[in-house]
Amino acid sequence: MGWAIALHGGAGDIPRSLPPERRDPRMATLRHSLDLAVAALQAGRTALDVVELVVRELENCPHFNAGKGSVLTSDGTVEMEASIMDGNTMSCGAVSGLSTVVNAISLARLVMEKTPHIYLGFHGAEAFARDQGVETRDPSHFITDENIERLRLAKQANRVQIDYTQPMKAEPPSDDNSRIGTVGCVAIDSSGNLATATSTGGLVNKMAGRIGDTPIIGAGTYANPLCAVSATGKGESIIRHTVARDVAALMEHRGLPLKEAAARVVAGVPRGDVGLVAVSAAGEVTMVYNTSGMFRACATEDGYSEVGIWPQADSDANANGGN
């Protein structure tokens, strides 16, 4: 068996013309986060600790749609959400509507460990964060110039924008692609413990109060003793198809192996709507999507690693490198 890790930075219609200044910082952060995860697993850290560690790192990167890089609501505000789940105990925690918490994923873990509840949102979640003494910042800390411009363009085009969609008509014709993606991580440690964590800022120009798939256990995030799954893409579609839970259900009730279960679930969601990363209790890893690409990375104890964006068949640079 052995340990295994997989992480994502969002899936969508990612053009191959994505310029280096947009692509490289994201790929560098994925590689750095993967290195942190591998070192932590090799040092004997639990899967739960590792998925939180990785997602915190991704939340702190302004190039992804979580934490510092969270996109803006139609009101010009940030509403972050996250969830985390322990596969062996099936304990879980989730938060929504955060505007001041630096690392939403750590607050989700505190909900799991310090309250009798699973899900806290908005004012109640913010109050709990203050009670727990987690790091908070003024809401302006999370509002970047890039996301202000992204919101302006979305409003001009009168649309809600998902992660990594193709440029809107209102955008310049260059391959600027400033879309950024939901983040997530799944892991199994050397003791066989499974865990998953997912975090996001949601959709560009979403209605204030909108909740997506990320904090909904069974939709964007799920783990049990068989597998751990973190999804990304169009939240409403992921919720309708209970994507993360369905992967586990196919393994549990149909006896399918992880890769087949994940592929079947993704194939059942409208094309262009979803990607996911998952690991199994046997140490298998899969990273599958029906979008044009997904920022992703993985590693296993037997020495395999992969960092990439587009389908592996198009480039041999994915394995031990990236494209």
Side-chain angles (χ1 to χ4, degrees):
M1 187 177 63
W3 57 259
I5 181 86
L7 51 146
H8 69 75
D13 194 2
I14 307 171
R16 290 183 177 273
S17 54
L18 187 67
E21 63 269 21
R22 296 292 182 186
R23 181 182 68 243
D24 294 349
R26 294 169 185 158
M27 297 302 288
T29 300
L30 286 179
R31 290 189 179 94
H32 174 65
S33 298
L34 185 64
D35 289 344
L36 285 178
V38 169
L41 287 165
Q42 290 174 335
R45 297 281 297 275
T46 67
L48 193 64
D49 285 345
V50 172
V51 296
E52 180 188 8
L53 172 72
V54 168
V55 171
R56 283 177 62 95
E57 195 70 20
L58 296 171
E59 286 174 335
N60 293 337
C61 173
H63 301 288
F64 293 110
N65 181 11
K68 174 64 175 173
S70 293
V71 298
L72 305 181
T73 71
S74 58
D75 291 344
T77 58
V78 166
E79 292 182 355
M80 298 171 282
E81 50 194 28
S83 66
I84 192 167
M85 189 166 187
D86 183 320
N88 286 25
T89 67
M90 296 185 71
S91 298
C92 49
V95 290
S96 282
L98 302 179
S99 60
T100 70
V101 176
V102 172
N103 294 112
I105 196 63
S106 293
L107 188 65
R109 183 171 181 178
L110 287 169
V111 172
M112 178 179 76
E113 295 179 341
K114 303 292 186 181
T115 81
H117 309 304
I118 289 175
Y119 198 158
L120 294 180
F122 297 88
H123 298 304
E126 290 280 353
F128 177 66
R130 292 191 296 272
D131 290 343
Q132 293 297 309
V134 302
E135 185 181 1
T136 59
R137 300 287 293 271
D138 186 87
S140 62
H141 167 77
F142 303 95
I143 299 176
T144 65
D145 291 341
E146 186 176 7
N147 283 332
I148 291 171
E149 175 63 8
R150 185 176 298 110
L151 176 61
R152 184 189 69 80
L153 292 170
K155 284 180 174 291
Q156 185 177 336
N158 192 30
R159 63 178 285 185
V160 173
Q161 186 180 344
I162 66 170
D163 296 345
Y164 298 118
T165 52
Q166 284 284 13
M168 296 175 289
K169 291 180 180 179
E171 290 185 85
S174 69
D175 294 315
D176 173 60
N177 190 11
S178 56
R179 272 73 52 195
I180 51 181
T182 293
V183 303
C185 182
V186 293
I188 182 169
D189 60 35
S190 296
S191 298
N193 301 303
L194 287 153
T196 178
T198 316
S199 182
T200 190
L203 303 178
V204 183
N205 200 28
K206 66 182 180 180
M207 292 176 64
R210 178 262 186 187
I211 294 171
D213 67 289
T214 291
I216 298 178
I217 302 301
T221 306
Y222 189 76
N224 68 7
L226 294 176
C227 66
V229 184
S230 175
T232 175
K234 187 179 291 185
E236 283 71 13
S237 190
I238 293 169
I239 292 169
R240 290 188 189 101
H241 291 84
T242 57
V243 165
R245 169 58 190 161
D246 272 13
V247 174
L250 285 173
M251 295 180 69
E252 181 178 354
H253 301 297
R254 296 283 185 88
L256 296 186
L258 176 69
K259 289 187 177 182
E260 185 178 346
R264 184 173 297 189
V265 169
V266 168
V269 178
R271 187 165 182 82
D273 280 5
V274 68
L276 65 83
V277 296
V279 295
S280 74
E284 303 163 292
V285 176
T286 190
M287 303 186 292
V288 61
Y289 47 95
N290 66 14
T291 58
S292 67
M294 179 171 71
F295 284 92
R296 65 194 188 276
C298 74
T300 61
E301 189 170 353
D302 64 11
Y304 179 79
S305 68
E306 177 184 329
V307 182
I309 306 173
W310 299 288
Q312 225 177 344
D314 294 342
S315 173
D316 294 330
N318 272 12
N320 299 301
N323 54 11

